[in-house]
């Protein structure tokens, strides 16, 4: 059924088809090429739609550094209680009841590494002496960045208002 001539025609047909596709690709690239390079000429935008906003240059987004003390003064402790759900898997708020992490009863104003019976990693001692609201905020924002080598695997809490609410709620727990 297949002789040498039939097989040669089939292979020739595929090679011819491939060459036609390559030619089409080359022609499309020449006709519709967008961007710089290749032909030595610059490409300009064909038309511009005026939106009335600015002069076309992008403005840098200004990020204000918010003072934590100001945010903490306006914190909502009741909102912080609902934020504690992320901490509940590893921490308890009852005095003396440790879990994977130490208990958080009376943590605001407490010395770092001060919970009896909990085996700390030692990384926190180098970062701070006392858990002030500012120190807690910095730690909760990025635990491994604040205290490299800590065993706390929490990724961090980005929102400064959430951190302030949580710390305000933790501050209400002690006598």
């Amino acid at each position: 059924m297949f002789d040498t001539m039939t097989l040669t025609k089939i292979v020739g047909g595929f090679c011819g088809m491939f060459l036609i596709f390559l030619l089409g690709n080359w022609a499309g690239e020449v006709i519709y090429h967008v961007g710089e390079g290749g032909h030595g000429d610059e490409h300009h935008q064909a038309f511009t739609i005026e939106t009335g906003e600015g002069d076309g240059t992008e403005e840098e987004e200004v990020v204000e550094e918010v003072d934590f003390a100001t945010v903490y003064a306006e914190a909502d402790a009741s909102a912080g209680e609902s934020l504690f759900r992320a901490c509940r898997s590893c921490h308890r708020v009852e005095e003396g009841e440790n879990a994977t992490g130490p208990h958080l009863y009376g943590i605001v104003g407490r010395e770092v590494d001060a919970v009896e019976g909990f085996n700390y990693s030692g990384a926190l001692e180098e970062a701070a002496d006392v858990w002030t609201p500012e120190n807690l905020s910095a730690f909760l924002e990025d635990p491994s960045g604040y205290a490299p080598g800590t065993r706390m695997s929490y990724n961090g809490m980005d929102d400064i208002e959430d951190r302030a609410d949580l710390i305000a709620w933790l501050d209400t727990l002690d006598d």
Side-chain angles (χ1 to χ4, degrees), residues 51-71:
T51 61
E53 295 179 8
D55 59 354
T57 60
E58 291 186 29
E59 296 179 15
E60 289 186 26
E61 183 178 326
V62 177
V63 178
E64 280 188 35
E65 187 65 34
V66 180
D67 181 36
F68 178 75
T70 305
V71 176

Side-chain angles (χ1 to χ4, degrees), residues 19-33 39:
L19 287 174
I20 290 173
F21 281 128
L22 286 176
L23 179 64
N25 183 32
W26 173 79
E29 183 68 27
V30 167
I31 294 171
Y32 297 108
H33 179 74
H39 300 293

Side-chain angles (χ1 to χ4, degrees), residues 56-134:
T57 60
E58 291 186 29
E59 296 179 15
E60 289 186 26
E61 183 178 326
V62 177
V63 178
E64 280 188 35
E65 187 65 34
V66 180
D67 181 36
F68 178 75
T70 305
V71 176
Y72 184 65
E74 300 171 3
D76 180 14
S78 61
E81 184 175 8
S82 65
L83 292 168
F84 184 72
R85 70 183 176 278
C87 312
R88 185 163 293 151
S89 62
C90 298
H91 295 280
R92 304 292 177 264
V93 292
E94 294 79 20
E95 187 173 13
E97 187 178 327
N98 295 329
T100 304
H103 70 82
L104 300 180
Y105 180 85
I107 190 164
V108 180
R110 181 173 73 195
E111 290 185 24
V112 174
D113 292 357
V115 173
E116 296 286 329
F118 188 79
N119 185 21
Y120 289 95
S121 62
L124 293 172
E125 294 169 349
E126 298 172 16
D129 295 330
V130 176
W131 284 124
T132 62
E134 291 79 12

